Amino acid sequence: MAINNIYLQNEEISIEVNNLWKIFGDNVEKVLDSDTQFDGKTDILEKTGCVLAIKDVSFQVHRGEIFVLMGLSGSGKSTLVRCILRLIEPTAGKILINGENVCDCTAQQLTELRRHTISMVFQYFGLLPHRNILQNVAYGLKIRGMAKSKREAKAQEMIELVGLKGWESYLPSALSGGMQQRVGIARALSTDPEMLIMDEPFSGLDPLIRRQMQDELLDIQEKVHKTILFVTHDLHEALKLGNRIAIMKDGEIIQIGDPEEVITAPSDGYVREFVQDASPAKVLTAKRIMEQPNVLLYEWQGPKTAIHILESTELDNAFVLGRGSKFRGLVTVERLLEIIKGGGKSIMNALEPDLLRCTSDTIVEDLFPLAVSTRHPIPVVDDDGKFLGEIHTSTILGSMIQDKETELGD
Ligand SMILES: Nc1ncnc2c1ncn2[C@@H]1O[C@H](COP(=O)(O)OP(=O)(O)OP(=O)(O)O)[C@@H](O)[C@H]1O
Ligand SMILES: [Mg+2]
């Protein structure tokens, strides 16, 4: 399923980080002093004893998107997301949540922010071991002062949302890692926060469960449309979940883009190395590889006109459209000749049956099975049935070859 289907480009900004710095240590001024030149993180540590964790980071998270922060261990991801909630105090810079500067918040405002606006999901689920699943999920509502029956009803709803119905009265220790993480997600969603920050939530799970959890997160997101800041060090996870991805290295963001941009135009060697094992076919969508046909036929044209057009362009098939570019199907010269022989007047009688089609969001990888089962180009059609373009089998094969080259490190 393509999450991109549900994320409609929204320019409204939920989280904005401007020129954020975080330096751990006692000699912070020395690091920020513009007269002193340092040669990277190690040099700073040696000369000042400080750890430069976040270096002048700026980005924006749009409302309703899944924004992924990706980078190797130690690149500063956790520090960055913790700064956003001020679980760690930033050294310099600005953090705006819905336009409000978090750095100016009082302790009480911060508590409000963490209880109502943004929930956090961690790698280690942090469930309360002596409370059952229902109580764990309802916990955030309890500290908000919600009455028992009301909070339990809400918790029940969230437990069902994450697929754990029937487990309400069990203790966390009776659940597998994947199930416990679902409880963590249910708990984070129970307060109906506007935003979720998820710091490597699936990293502790084995690969199969991890993929299931990713699918479930996408399913849940389709229902709840939250703004999600998701941290991972796994590129495939980033490419699967992210509407946009920011790549971090040594405390800096070195590239921000959608999955296609990151994979097709890596900004430097570091990103290229990261994406080398990722296959474009998993990321590229039909929109990216579709073409416009040289010839289109229209439903009101007669079979003889159609034959004439096809023969004069040396084609043996073409798509047929109706008014407003509505997609109708595909006709071949062979079928048209049969229709003419039988005295048929409409090219609609010559349409190929059971024609396969895709949408502009279809991932190229999902086109492979379509490509092997048809001799014809694959039409790309939007949700209203409008024709957008066509994809030739050779183009799909081309993207596989590019795939191989990437694997070989070309
Ligand atoms: N409390 C601290 N004191 C000193 N240095 C710290 C502290 N917390 C983090 N750091 C340093 O900040 C840098 C960034 O760490 P951070 O935990 O944010 O990385 P990360 O990208 O989340 O890594 P991981 O993938 O392993 O979770 C590291 O060099 C780390 O050693
Ligand atoms: Mg971390």
Side-chain angles (χ1 to χ4, degrees):
M1 185 201 56
I3 187 79
N4 297 319
N5 287 342
I6 60 158
Y7 166 59
L8 305 169
Q9 272 289 325
N10 188 340
E11 295 308 318
E12 223 177 305
I13 294 160
S14 291
I15 303 171
E16 179 167 357
V17 172
N18 287 324
N19 308 105
L20 190 77
W21 291 74
K22 176 63 197 180
I23 300 157
F24 291 102
D26 298 326
N27 296 310
V28 170
E29 299 74 28
K30 272 196 193 167
V31 183
L32 288 174
D33 177 10
S34 56
D35 291 340
T36 321
Q37 293 291 317
F38 295 104
D39 186 17
K41 211 169 151 173
T42 318
D43 192 37
I44 292 176
L45 185 62
E46 276 168 12
K47 288 185 179 147
T48 68
C50 289
V51 178
L52 176 61
I54 302 293
K55 185 183 174 193
D56 202 16
V57 159
S58 300
F59 64 96
Q60 297 173 337
V61 182
H62 301 161
R63 187 169 312 287
E65 77 173 329
I66 301 184
F67 187 94
V68 175
L69 271 178
M70 194 189 74
L72 296 176
S73 182
S75 57
K77 307 177 298 292
S78 295
T79 306
L80 178 53
V81 295
R82 287 187 158 90
C83 281
I84 291 175
L85 283 174
R86 275 183 64 200
L87 296 167
I88 291 176
E89 283 301 325
T91 306
K94 245 186 181 178
I95 296 155
L96 305 173
I97 306 281
N98 289 335
E100 299 279 337
N101 192 349
V102 176
C103 301
D104 295 338
C105 283
T106 61
Q108 196 187 344
Q109 286 169 325
L110 278 179
T111 307
E112 289 285 301
L113 179 79
R114 293 173 199 153
R115 276 192 196 162
H116 296 274
T117 314
I118 307 185
S119 280
M120 190 130 177
V121 179
F122 300 96
Q123 178 177 353
Y124 300 103
F125 335 117
L127 303 180
L128 303 164
H130 303 300
R131 305 206 187 208
N132 69 28
I133 300 308
L134 187 72
Q135 290 163 335
N136 263 286
V137 175
Y139 189 72
L141 299 170
K142 185 177 179 184
I143 54 175
R144 257 197 203 178
M146 188 184 275
K148 189 164 185 249
S149 61
K150 221 172 150 190
R151 70 178 185 247
E152 290 192 344
K154 182 75 190 170
Q156 184 65 43
E157 192 190 317
M158 291 303 122
I159 286 171
E160 287 175 24
L161 180 70
V162 300
L164 284 179
K165 191 170 156 57
W167 291 90
E168 296 81 355
S169 58
Y170 285 83
L171 290 178
S173 56
L175 274 63
S176 71
M179 291 160 86
Q180 290 192 46
Q181 191 52 282
R182 276 186 232 160
V183 178
I185 294 172
R187 179 183 53 186
L189 288 171
S190 68
T191 54
D192 198 21
E194 220 183 290
M195 307 172 205
L196 282 181
I197 293 182
M198 307 180 85
D199 190 356
E200 309 234 18
F202 306 145
S203 299
L205 307 174
D206 73 55
L208 191 73
I209 305 291
R210 186 173 181 156
R211 277 201 296 278
Q212 267 175 20
M213 293 298 294
Q214 294 162 352
D215 291 338
E216 276 172 36
L217 179 67
L218 292 176
D219 286 346
I220 292 170
Q221 171 68 344
E222 200 161 4
K223 292 179 192 135
V224 298
H225 304 292
K226 301 288 179 195
T227 302
I228 301 178
L229 180 53
F230 189 102
V231 172
T232 182
H233 58 254
D234 181 291
L235 178 68
H236 285 111
E237 188 165 77
L239 294 174
K240 180 172 178 182
L241 299 179
N243 297 115
R244 289 190 304 140
I245 299 168
I247 297 180
M248 288 192 78
K249 181 190 177 193
D250 294 338
E252 289 182 88
I253 288 183
I254 55 170
Q255 183 169 17
I256 298 183
D258 66 25
E260 294 203 4
E261 283 162 351
V262 168
I263 207 145
T264 52
S267 70
D268 74 359
Y270 176 82
V271 182
R272 211 167 301 131
E273 227 167 84
F274 237 123
V275 301
Q276 231 160 44
D277 68 331
S279 92
K282 284 186 169 35
V283 190
L284 289 179
T285 53
K287 186 170 50 194
R288 186 70 174 246
I289 60 166
M290 73 183 180
E291 296 162 64
Q292 289 310 313
N294 291 329
V295 168
L296 283 166
L297 300 172
Y298 294 90
E299 60 180 330
W300 50 86
Q301 292 172 324
K304 285 183 187 154
T305 315
I307 284 281
H308 176 79
I309 294 171
L310 288 175
E311 286 183 341
S312 64
T313 46
E314 293 180 1
L315 288 168
D316 71 358
N317 62 59
F319 291 123
V320 180
L321 307 188
R323 285 201 193 283
S325 294
K326 279 268 189 244
F327 181 71
R328 297 292 185 225
L330 176 133
V331 291
T332 61
V333 169
E334 199 185 337
R335 272 293 288 152
L336 285 167
L337 289 173
E338 279 173 29
I339 293 292
I340 294 169
K341 236 191 211 160
K345 294 269 180 277
S346 168
I347 61 171
M348 295 301 278
N349 297 330
L351 295 185
E352 288 288 303
D354 307 323
L355 194 74
L356 300 166
R357 54 179 81 182
C358 69
T359 67
S360 58
D361 287 331
T362 306
I363 307 289
V364 169
E365 192 179 53
D366 295 337
L367 292 172
F368 294 157
L370 269 62
V372 294
S373 60
T374 178
R375 291 177 294 128
H376 307 304
I378 299 166
V380 186
V381 177
D382 75 6
D383 291 341
D384 299 325
K386 231 164 131 176
F387 176 79
L388 300 174
E390 66 177 3
I391 296 173
H392 289 273
T393 326
S394 57
T395 319
I396 301 173
L397 287 174
S399 79
M400 276 172 84
I401 291 161
Q402 187 190 353
D403 215 17
K404 265 271 118 0
E405 283 173 352
T406 316
E407 269 170 30
L408 294 171
D410 183 42

